[in-house]
């Protein structure tokens, strides 16, 4: 901003003409011009002196004298020009300095105002963060109290069911023993009747045919031995059938109880993922790809999903914002047709898992926002749990279950050696097949997100595949399968699981978890299942490194639990 004052028509007090210096570029005075005229006149006169002798001299022109006013006017004009050229105005300098000083004062005041505003904003932001932290802590305490009540109720129900199972097993075996005793008594009575009949016949034969007694006795003994052998075989067969029937009834009872509790076997979990993936490819994905309009809508949604997943940061506000945006993409005001909705769920699950393969492998902390996003989507999107589980099994093989890949697929087809690597989750690139180290790192990154999802607090129950009890189920299944324990991937995955939720599991299951960790420690130091030398992770170099990390993590958790 410029600051200026109007110029006064009167001259400044400092503008004194008497002190103005004279300019060196001055107009020559009249006297000098007159002298020049005289000099030029004398030169012309001397040059034409000869001609004057021969010609008649002309009379000289009269010189006009300038008036005094004209001389003064010319001197004033010359003096004004000299003053205009060399004069330095102090007023203008003062005016310029005043403008600069005003600009400096205004800029300093503006800087102070900006600093005060920034300090005020920082203080308000800190107050907001304190209020949010207090609210979060209060909500966390409420969730923990609810979870404790739910766990207590669950333990009571499990104890009641165990008592019922024991009573049922006792009654079942009592009935089996009663049936066996009844059958033995019946056979004894029949044998006694037959024996008496044979004795009577023998007596009659001895009386009638004394001569043939020895031969008949020999034949009778042979028949007796054969009959006893047959009876023994029949008895053993009946006992085996009764035991098999009892085992079948016990397994059926366990299956019904497991279904009542929402539990499932490893093969059932594996079949759920494979069947969902097969249905997804043959149904919605095939329908969408064959229809141009549906494919265009699906492609647009997929292009919108991938950047949103890539925007995740550790800031919870960003996670919540991205979750809402993704839900809005999949559930717009005008709902998508079912095939497009399911196809978009598949693309969303794939984007999350690919983000886990790239970012979590490089930075472990990236698993937390991805897991929180997954939990938010599992509670908001219908059907996302089945699709996410199917894509998880597709990209990580049987490790999310965990299960050793069987020889036959869930639809009964035989898995060939060429397709086995694909079912296990290995990726083939232009450079060749994926090596074990890259495969282990990629699968570990995916499962780090999965384990983090299991231990995160939630405000509503999730699908059984993503609940906290799956954490216990995962370790029990892993420890009872020698084929899984021999793989180097197993040691690295269990280390990752303990790194995420080992201490939390110790607080949830207490001494039971401690005993499980003792079995795990024995498997990495002595040998699993009592087999000395059969260590978890096998004998490969990758297994040695993963086994060492797993041992150190178990020791750290045990030390923390004992304090």
């Amino acid at each position: 901003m410029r600051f200026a004052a109007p110029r006064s028509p009167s001259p400044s007090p400092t503008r004194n003409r008497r002190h103005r210096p004279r300019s060196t570029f001055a107009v020559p005075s009249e006297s000098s011009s007159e002298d020049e005229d005289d000099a030029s006149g004398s030169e012309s006169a001397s040059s034409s002196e000869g001609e004057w002798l021969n010609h008649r001299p002309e009379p000289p022109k009269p010189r006009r004298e300038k008036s005094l006013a004209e001389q003064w006017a010319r001197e004033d004009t010359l003096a004004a020009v000299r003053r205009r050229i060399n004069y330095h105005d102090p007023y203008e300098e003062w005016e310029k300095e005043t403008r600069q000083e005003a600009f400096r004062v205004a800029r300093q005041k503006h800087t102070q105002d900006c600093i005060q505003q920034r300090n005020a904003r920082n203080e308000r932001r800190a107050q907001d963060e304190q209020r949010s932290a207090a609210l979060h802590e209060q909500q966390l305490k409420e969730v923990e109290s609810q979870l404790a009540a739910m766990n207590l109720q669950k333990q009571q129900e499990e104890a009641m069911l165990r008592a019922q199972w024991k009573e049922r097993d006792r009654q079942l075996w009592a009935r089996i023993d009663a049936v066996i005793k009844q059958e033995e008594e019946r056979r004894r009575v029949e044998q006694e009747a037959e024996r008496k009949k044979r004795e009577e016949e023998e007596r009659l034969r001895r009386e009638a045919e004394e001569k043939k007694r020895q031969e008949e006795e020999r034949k009778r003994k042979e028949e007796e031995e054969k009959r006893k052998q047959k009876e023994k075989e029949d008895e053993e067969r009946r006992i085996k059938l009764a035991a098999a029937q009892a085992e079948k009834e016990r397994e059926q009872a366990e299956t019904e109880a497991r279904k009542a509790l929402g539990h499932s076997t490893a093969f059932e979990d594996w079949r759920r993922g494979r069947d969902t993936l097969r249905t997804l490819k043959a149904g919605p994905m095939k329908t969408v790809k064959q229809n141009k309009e549906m494919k265009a809508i699906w492609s647009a949604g997929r292009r919108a999903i991938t950047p949103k997943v890539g925007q995740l940061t550790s800031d919870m506000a960003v996670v919540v914002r991205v979750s809402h945006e993704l839900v809005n993409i999949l559930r717009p005001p005008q709902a998508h047709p079912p095939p497009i909705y399911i196809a978009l769920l598949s693309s969303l699950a794939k984007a999350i898992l690919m983000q886990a393969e790239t970012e979590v492998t490089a930075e472990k902390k990236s698993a937390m926002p991805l897991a929180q996003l997954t939990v938010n989507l599992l509670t908001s999107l219908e059907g996302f749990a089945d699709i996410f589980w199917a894509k998880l099994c597709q990209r990580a093989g049987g490790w999310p279950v965990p299960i050793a890949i069987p020889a036959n697929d869930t639809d009964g087809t035989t898995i060939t050696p060429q397709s086995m690597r694909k079912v296990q989750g290995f990726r083939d690139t232009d450079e060749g097949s994926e090596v074990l180290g890259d495969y282990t790192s990629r699968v570990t990154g995916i499962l780090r997100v999965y384990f983090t999802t299991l231990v995160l607090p939630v405000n509503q129950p999730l699908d059984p595949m993503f609940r906290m009890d799956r954490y216990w189920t995962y370790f029990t299944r892993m420890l009872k399968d020698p084929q899984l324990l021999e793989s180097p991937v197993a040691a690295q995955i269990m280390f990752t699981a303990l790194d995420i939720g080992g201490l939390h599991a110790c607080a949830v299951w207490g001494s039971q978890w401690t005993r499980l960790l003792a079995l795990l420690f024995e498997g990495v130091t002595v040998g699993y299942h009592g087999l000395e030398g059969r260590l978890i992770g096998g004998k490969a170099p990758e297994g040695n490194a993963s086994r060492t990390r797993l041992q150190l993590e178990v020791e750290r958790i045990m030390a923390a639990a004992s304090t």
Side-chain angles (χ1 to χ4, degrees):
M1 180 182 294
R2 298 185 61 186
F3 299 92
R7 293 289 300 271
S8 175
S10 61
S12 175
T14 59
R15 297 175 183 175
N16 192 346
R17 294 182 179 179
R18 290 176 300 178
H19 299 285
R20 179 177 298 173
R22 296 181 58 86
S23 174
T24 57
F25 301 96
V27 179
S29 63
E30 185 178 359
S31 59
S32 62
S33 61
E34 291 176 356
D35 294 338
E36 290 177 357
D37 292 340
D38 295 339
S40 61
S42 60
E43 290 178 358
S44 60
S46 59
S47 61
S48 58
E49 183 177 355
E51 296 179 357
W52 181 82
L53 297 175
N54 299 322
H55 299 285
R56 186 177 179 180
E58 295 179 0
K61 296 181 180 180
R63 293 182 61 185
R64 188 180 64 87
E65 295 292 337
K66 294 182 179 180
S67 63
L68 184 59
E70 290 177 351
Q71 293 178 5
W72 288 351
R74 186 178 66 176
E75 291 179 359
D76 288 343
T77 300
L78 294 175
V81 170
R82 293 188 189 99
R83 286 193 303 269
R84 187 65 179 176
I85 290 173
N86 298 323
Y87 180 68
H88 182 69
D89 193 349
Y91 180 81
E92 291 180 355
E93 288 295 326
W94 171 83
E95 184 179 9
K96 180 179 179 181
E97 293 176 358
T98 302
R99 285 197 302 268
Q100 292 179 354
E101 182 65 24
F103 176 73
R104 284 193 298 270
V105 172
R107 184 169 60 183
Q108 185 177 5
K109 185 177 183 302
H110 176 71
T111 303
Q112 293 176 355
D113 293 341
C114 290
I115 293 173
Q116 294 177 357
Q117 293 176 0
R118 184 169 63 252
N119 293 335
R121 285 196 301 270
N122 292 336
E123 185 176 357
R124 289 195 300 270
R125 188 181 299 109
Q127 295 175 357
D128 293 340
E129 290 178 354
Q130 291 178 358
R131 287 194 296 270
S132 300
L135 179 60
H136 178 72
E137 185 177 359
Q138 181 182 0
Q139 294 175 349
L140 182 60
K141 291 181 179 178
E142 294 177 356
V143 171
E144 288 178 350
S145 62
Q146 293 178 0
L147 288 176
M150 292 173 63
N151 289 333
L152 180 59
Q153 181 181 2
K154 180 180 178 182
Q155 291 174 1
Q156 294 175 353
E157 293 176 354
E158 289 179 353
M160 182 177 64
L161 288 174
R162 290 192 187 96
Q164 294 176 357
W165 293 345
K166 291 180 181 179
E167 180 63 22
R168 183 171 181 177
D169 288 343
R170 187 188 63 77
Q171 296 177 0
L172 180 62
W173 282 108
R175 289 197 300 270
I176 293 172
D177 293 339
V179 170
I180 293 174
K181 290 180 179 180
Q182 183 179 1
E183 186 67 20
E184 289 177 350
E185 183 65 23
R186 185 180 64 82
R187 291 301 302 167
R188 189 185 64 78
V189 172
E190 290 179 356
Q191 290 176 1
E192 184 67 21
E194 290 179 358
R195 186 183 63 79
K196 291 179 180 181
K197 182 179 179 180
R198 286 194 301 270
E199 288 178 354
E200 182 66 21
E201 291 175 353
E202 189 68 24
R203 186 182 63 81
L204 294 175
R205 281 195 299 269
R206 282 195 304 266
E207 292 177 354
E209 300 177 355
E210 184 64 26
K211 294 182 180 179
K212 297 181 180 179
R213 184 183 60 83
Q214 294 181 353
E215 183 67 22
E216 291 176 353
E217 184 68 19
R218 184 181 61 81
K219 292 181 179 180
R220 188 187 64 82
K221 289 181 179 180
E222 291 178 355
E223 291 176 356
E224 184 73 15
E225 290 178 357
K226 291 180 180 179
R227 185 185 59 79
K228 288 183 178 180
Q229 183 67 24
K230 184 178 180 181
E231 289 176 356
K232 184 178 180 181
E233 292 176 356
D234 293 342
E235 186 68 20
E236 291 178 354
R237 189 180 300 110
R238 282 191 295 271
I239 293 174
K240 288 182 180 179
L241 290 175
Q245 182 66 24
E247 182 67 20
K248 183 178 180 181
E249 292 179 358
R250 187 178 64 82
E251 290 180 356
Q252 185 177 2
E254 289 181 355
T255 302
E256 293 176 356
R258 189 167 55 246
K259 290 182 178 179
L261 291 175
H263 296 166
S264 58
T265 62
F267 184 77
E268 289 174 349
D269 295 343
W270 168 250
R271 181 171 56 191
R272 176 183 176 182
R274 294 292 295 174
D275 291 346
T276 303
L277 183 64
R278 192 179 298 107
T279 304
L280 176 65
K281 290 184 177 180
M285 294 303 299
K286 185 177 181 180
T287 302
V288 170
K289 290 181 179 179
Q290 290 178 352
N291 189 304
K292 292 184 178 180
E293 296 180 357
M294 289 185 177
K295 186 176 181 180
I297 298 174
W298 170 60
S299 300
R302 182 178 58 179
R303 288 192 298 269
I305 287 172
T306 304
K308 295 297 181 184
V309 177
Q311 293 174 3
L312 286 177
T313 63
S314 57
D315 189 359
M316 188 56 61
V318 176
V319 176
V320 173
R321 177 180 60 80
V322 173
S323 301
H324 287 305
E325 292 175 353
L326 290 173
V327 172
N328 293 333
I329 292 174
L330 273 82
R331 293 192 311 188
Q334 185 176 0
H336 293 304
I340 296 179
Y341 176 73
I342 296 176
L344 289 176
L345 287 180
S346 176
S347 300
L348 177 59
K350 182 179 179 181
I352 294 175
L353 293 177
M354 291 184 66
Q355 192 77 3
E357 291 178 358
T358 55
E359 287 196 4
V360 179
T361 303
E363 179 59 40
K364 296 179 181 179
K365 296 180 181 180
S366 303
M368 179 59 71
L370 279 174
Q372 187 63 58
L373 174 65
T374 304
V375 170
N376 295 343
L377 296 177
L378 288 172
T379 57
S380 302
L381 298 176
E382 182 180 359
F384 184 63
D386 290 333
I387 301 298
F388 188 77
W389 177 252
K391 300 299 287 185
L392 188 65
C393 293
Q394 179 187 15
R395 303 192 72 86
W399 293 110
V401 178
I403 187 175
I405 305 300
N408 296 328
D409 206 343
T410 56
D411 58 353
T413 59
T414 302
I415 301 177
T416 61
Q418 292 77 13
S419 60
M420 177 60 76
R421 287 179 59 85
K422 183 177 181 181
V423 176
Q424 291 175 344
F426 282 89
R427 295 287 175 262
D428 294 333
T429 61
D430 297 336
E431 300 177 356
S433 299
E434 188 177 26
V435 298
L436 181 61
D438 296 340
Y439 173 79
T440 303
S441 299
R442 185 172 56 80
V443 172
T444 303
I446 293 175
L447 292 184
R448 180 173 287 274
V449 176
Y450 175 64
F451 291 132
T452 307
T453 304
L454 297 182
V455 301
L456 279 178
V458 293
N459 53 8
Q460 67 183 47
L462 298 179
D463 187 87
M465 296 299 177
F466 303 96
R467 295 178 183 173
M468 180 60 190
D469 54 357
R470 291 285 301 179
Y471 193 84
W472 174 272
T473 303
Y474 193 92
F475 277 91
T476 56
R477 290 177 179 175
M478 186 77 79
L479 288 176
K480 73 178 182 179
D481 194 337
Q483 187 175 355
L484 292 176
L485 296 177
E486 290 180 356
S487 174
V489 185
Q492 183 64 28
I493 289 177
M494 286 193 289
F495 161 73
T496 302
L498 292 178
D499 182 38
I500 293 171
L503 291 175
H504 181 65
C506 189
V508 172
W509 291 296
S511 60
Q512 295 180 357
W513 180 251
T514 304
R515 287 195 292 270
L516 188 144
L517 290 179
L519 292 176
L520 187 59
F521 185 78
E522 182 180 359
V524 297
T525 55
V526 180
Y528 54 83
H529 295 181
L531 302 175
E532 187 174 355
R534 299 289 294 275
L535 300 177
I536 295 176
K539 298 180 180 180
E542 296 86 354
N544 295 333
S546 300
R547 183 168 53 251
T548 302
R549 287 192 289 268
L550 178 58
Q551 178 181 349
L552 294 176
E553 187 64 22
V554 172
E555 292 175 352
R556 183 184 69 84
I557 296 174
M558 295 290 286
S562 62
T563 56

